[in-house]
Amino acid sequence: MNIIMLGAPGAGKGTQAAVLCEHFGIPTISTGNMIREALKNGTEMGLKAKSYMDDGKLVPDEVVIGIVKERLSEDDCKKGFILDGFPRTIPQAEALDAMGVEIQYVINIDVPDETITKRMSGRRVCENCGRPYHIESLKPAKDGVCDDCGGTLVQRKDDHPDTVLARLAVYHKETEPLAEYYRKQGKLVNVAGKDTVAATTEAVLKAIEA
Ligand code: AMP
């Protein structure tokens, strides 16, 4: 099963991807996490991506397409995968099609902008493994500590309010048109994501009859 998670930043793509990853036993490929990891490791690509990320802009298509192509060729992707945060532009979606990758479902998590801006201020991520949390709605067992790996929970620099507005503008311009792209391919499933995490998960699983 190959799945794409679509939606605005902060819509809950990463959280729902983690559920599907567990449910199907397939890896999540998060381009955002891969870029942050590259940055942490000081690679050339990571350093180049930093200024785009910090400003809430998209990293150039050719860079992200290269990362995804390489990652999808790894063995653990053979039985399926969940793409979280890719594609984000029409050229990225076209590149994925050109790779011959068969996608079964594109799950579009729909959350109004006002909810997104409120949510983002409480979002935290594990600085080690990237797992997302929220200070009110998705708390770790121990404050500030990741349940999975014991890493420290931090606020992403690009989750600060000004950057969130920039990211939302980019989302509406560059990424939202992908819903229509995949609707035409018959792969789009729309899921309401403005209520609780559990309600969204239920809707996601129902939509793909999992
Ligand atoms: P995310 O963690 O998915 O919100 O991604 C964080 C940042 O990484 C984005 O704001 C972009 O700067 C960059 N990024 C992640 N995925 C992509 C992508 N598919 N295309 C371009 N930039 C991306």
Side-chain angles (χ1 to χ4, degrees):
M1 173 92 73
N2 301 333
I3 299 172
I4 291 173
M5 307 303 294
L6 204 61
K13 298 189 294 293
T15 305
Q16 298 305 327
V19 173
L20 294 176
C21 166
E22 176 101 24
H23 188 91
F24 290 112
I26 52 177
T28 298
I29 297 164
S30 156
T31 41
N33 282 352
M34 287 166 86
I35 296 168
R36 279 185 289 276
E37 188 66 23
L39 180 58
K40 209 162 74 184
N41 295 331
T43 70
E44 198 186 322
M45 185 278 284
L47 295 172
K48 236 191 256 171
K50 181 178 167 30
S51 58
Y52 295 100
M53 250 180 150
D54 285 352
D55 289 348
K57 292 182 182 145
L58 294 182
V59 172
D61 285 335
E62 63 275 15
V63 176
V64 191
I65 290 166
I67 301 174
V68 170
K69 201 170 185 175
E70 214 178 293
R71 180 65 185 88
L72 289 183
S73 70
E74 287 175 29
D75 273 355
D76 64 334
C77 292
K78 295 217 163 71
K79 53 186 167 81
F81 53 81
I82 301 149
L83 283 170
D84 165 19
F86 182 94
R88 259 179 158 100
T89 65
I90 297 282
Q92 290 179 18
E94 287 170 348
L96 194 62
D97 284 343
M99 286 176 215
V101 172
E102 281 281 333
I103 299 294
Q104 280 76 45
Y105 294 106
V106 177
I107 302 173
N108 187 29
I109 306 184
D110 187 28
V111 179
D113 282 8
E114 314 82 76
T115 313
I116 296 277
T117 43
K118 267 186 225 148
R119 259 189 208 177
M120 298 292 258
S121 60
R123 179 156 89 161
R124 299 292 180 269
V125 292
C126 172
E127 67 174 356
N128 182 46
C129 73
R131 181 170 165 180
Y133 293 87
H134 192 277
I135 53 170
E136 278 162 17
S137 56
L138 199 59
K139 293 179 183 175
K142 187 171 172 225
D143 260 4
V145 180
C146 179
D147 291 344
D148 282 349
C149 73
T152 305
L153 305 189
V154 295
Q155 181 172 44
R156 277 167 45 176
K157 197 170 176 187
D158 60 349
D159 278 351
H160 288 272
D162 287 354
T163 319
V164 168
L165 290 180
R167 289 168 69 199
L168 271 174
V170 169
Y171 164 75
H172 287 302
K173 182 161 178 272
E174 306 279 354
T175 310
E176 218 169 16
L178 289 177
E180 180 59 14
Y181 181 92
Y182 287 115
R183 192 193 59 75
K184 281 190 189 145
Q185 292 191 359
K187 294 172 182 162
L188 187 76
V189 283
N190 284 307
V191 168
K194 71 169 172 31
D195 297 322
T196 61
V197 170
T200 309
T201 299
E202 200 185 319
V204 167
L205 293 174
K206 199 168 158 206
I208 62 174
E209 290 157 18

